[in-house]
Amino acid sequence: PLRYLLLGGRAKAGWEKVNSKSFLRRQLATSLYHSSLNILNGTVVYHLVSRYIYGAKIDFKSSFTPRLDEPDLTSVGNCVFGANGVLLRNTMFYPGGIARYGKVDISDQVMILDRAVVSPETSIKEKVMVASITAVYDDTIHEEGTVLLGTPALNLTR
């Protein structure tokens, strides 16, 4: 596929300068992916097929509608619910023109509610519920089967 040609293989986590050729190639590949999702008015079947083609690991039984920044760097387990407005961020920008790309791993039976934000290099464990308007960072500590609430996320036990 064209995305693999632009990136020279699968996307990898790491740091890049914003004005580098590799950053621009990655941005072009991501723009092509996002524009391909708008074809056919974003039907569910087309979303699933295009995510699979571009390398995302998402179970077809999951009700997961959030738009992915980097499909290669996103892994979603079985029976995951992602509400509208959920933001999975594989990219963060820092002063000095530096971009950081990180993997987002979401385990099985996770529920992510409206307008929650998941940052790069974040892993969400099994049976966790992320409440509305909650930010989950790579240093958020949580156990399996808990509720994450607020910004920064507080760990509540069910």
Side-chain angles (χ1 to χ4, degrees):
L2 183 59
R3 182 174 173 81
Y4 293 122
L5 287 173
L6 288 170
L7 297 177
R10 293 185 69 82
K12 297 176 183 104
W15 300 79
E16 290 186 7
K17 285 284 210 182
V18 173
N19 56 1
S20 67
K21 286 183 183 179
S22 60
F23 174 80
L24 295 175
R25 280 196 307 260
R26 188 185 290 240
Q27 287 301 105
L28 177 61
T30 301
S31 295
L32 287 172
Y33 166 68
H34 286 190
S35 64
S36 73
L37 291 178
N38 294 331
I39 296 173
L40 300 175
N41 294 325
T43 60
V44 174
V45 173
Y46 186 76
H47 272 259
L48 291 172
V49 170
S50 63
R51 286 177 178 170
Y52 177 76
I53 290 171
Y54 284 105
K57 296 178 191 110
I58 299 176
D59 179 37
F60 70 93
K61 294 181 229 166
S62 294
S63 176
F64 200 76
T65 57
R67 194 167 160 173
L68 308 175
D69 276 353
E70 291 284 334
D72 289 345
L73 297 176
T74 305
S75 175
V76 177
N78 297 323
C79 301
V80 173
F81 174 77
N84 291 330
V86 171
L87 181 59
L88 296 181
R89 296 179 63 192
N90 296 102
T91 310
M92 285 188 80
F93 295 94
Y94 292 89
I98 298 173
R100 175 181 145 202
Y101 293 96
K103 193 162 177 51
V104 173
D105 289 316
I106 301 172
S107 297
D108 298 338
Q109 300 176 1
V110 172
M111 182 183 295
I112 305 174
L113 299 177
D114 296 328
R115 294 186 304 247
V117 178
V118 181
S119 293
E121 297 298 331
T122 301
S123 180
I124 299 177
K125 296 180 181 173
E126 287 188 19
K127 300 178 184 173
V128 170
M129 184 174 88
V130 180
S132 295
I133 314 172
T134 298
V136 182
Y137 298 104
D138 56 347
D139 59 353
T140 301
I141 299 170
H142 63 284
E143 299 296 323
E144 187 175 307
T146 59
V147 177
L148 298 175
L149 174 69
T151 304
L154 297 173
N155 186 355
L156 304 175
T157 306
R158 288 188 195 178

